[in-house]
Amino acid sequence: MRDEYNRNFFSKDKTADTYGGYDSYDYSYSEPSYVNMVIYNSKTGKSEILFKQKLLLGTYTIQGFKDDVFLLMEAALVDTDKDGKITMNDNNSLFIYSTKNKSLKHVQLKDKNLINYTNIPGSKDYMVRFGIEPDKWDETKANTDLTIICKYVYEQDQLLVINDEKMQ
């Protein structure tokens, strides 16, 4: 089964769908567990451990570009809800690892939870949506989707807020 997965994932036939799914150069997987992502270079036989601390890795996606491949990971690092364990209910954020530059970037908004992200076509930038903490809601906004929408500019490692809670 593993050989079939490797053959399908790395083949030129981009319609394969084994263990999760992908289209073109995208692949995603989701099953939260305490892990540390390891990048293995089959040409050199060397491995690289991405994180220095324990974390809960949620969904991860591989996204290919003409000149690079990104590994995008949703992860929770800290027990923000103070229940004694790190879960995906804790604030989580986005990590972007570039296989070309061997660099790891952390995309987060203080005290906010990552909801989702999407690539802006034709670029390495992302639209990122964060959630406003429920304890900051007032009764008039209880039934409103309170989110903060940002643009992450990859080359500048900059998160630009497009809207915030004051606009809602």
Side-chain angles (χ1 to χ4, degrees):
M1 185 71 147
R2 193 68 174 158
D3 290 335
E4 177 186 343
Y5 167 72
N6 287 334
R7 184 174 52 255
N8 287 338
F9 183 71
F10 294 106
S11 72
K12 301 239 183 247
D13 175 16
K14 299 300 180 189
T15 60
D17 189 15
T18 307
Y19 298 119
Y22 76 106
D23 180 27
S24 182
Y25 289 98
D26 295 340
Y27 171 81
S28 63
Y29 178 79
S30 177
E31 185 163 326
S33 61
Y34 284 105
V35 296
N36 196 329
M37 188 62 75
V38 177
I39 304 297
Y40 175 73
N41 184 328
S42 62
K43 291 180 183 177
T44 65
K46 293 185 179 183
S47 298
E48 178 182 359
I49 297 173
L50 293 188
F51 298 96
K52 297 186 188 304
Q53 75 262 26
K54 180 171 137 177
L55 72 149
L56 181 65
L57 185 64
T59 301
Y60 65 87
T61 302
I62 297 170
Q63 185 165 27
F65 298 96
K66 290 180 183 178
D67 63 340
D68 203 350
V69 177
F70 284 177
L71 175 59
L72 299 112
M73 301 161 281
E74 177 184 343
L77 297 169
V78 179
D79 177 21
T80 56
D81 64 6
K82 309 294 184 211
D83 68 353
K85 50 192 165 187
I86 299 173
T87 67
M88 292 311 284
N89 291 328
D90 294 308
N91 285 347
N92 53 66
S93 51
L94 176 65
F95 289 88
I96 303 174
Y97 177 78
S98 163
T99 59
K100 177 183 175 185
N101 301 327
K102 298 188 184 324
S103 64
L104 182 66
K105 296 187 179 191
H106 187 188
V107 181
Q108 67 178 345
L109 195 59
K110 185 173 173 30
D111 299 324
K112 304 297 183 256
N113 194 48
L114 176 69
I115 295 175
N116 62 20
Y117 59 91
T118 187
N119 176 253
I120 299 172
S123 75
K124 293 181 181 176
D125 300 339
Y126 292 85
M127 295 302 295
V128 186
R129 192 166 66 131
F130 294 93
I132 297 172
E133 294 302 306
D135 63 345
K136 295 188 180 172
W137 295 0
D138 63 30
E139 289 181 19
T140 61
K141 295 182 180 180
N143 295 320
T144 306
D145 181 23
L146 298 175
T147 60
I148 298 174
I149 299 171
C150 301
K151 177 181 179 182
Y152 177 69
V153 182
Y154 177 79
E155 294 298 330
Q156 299 171 359
D157 192 21
Q158 186 176 21
L159 188 64
L160 307 171
V161 175
I162 294 173
N163 81 320
D164 61 23
E165 56 237 77
K166 294 175 192 152
M167 295 176 71
Q168 299 192 38

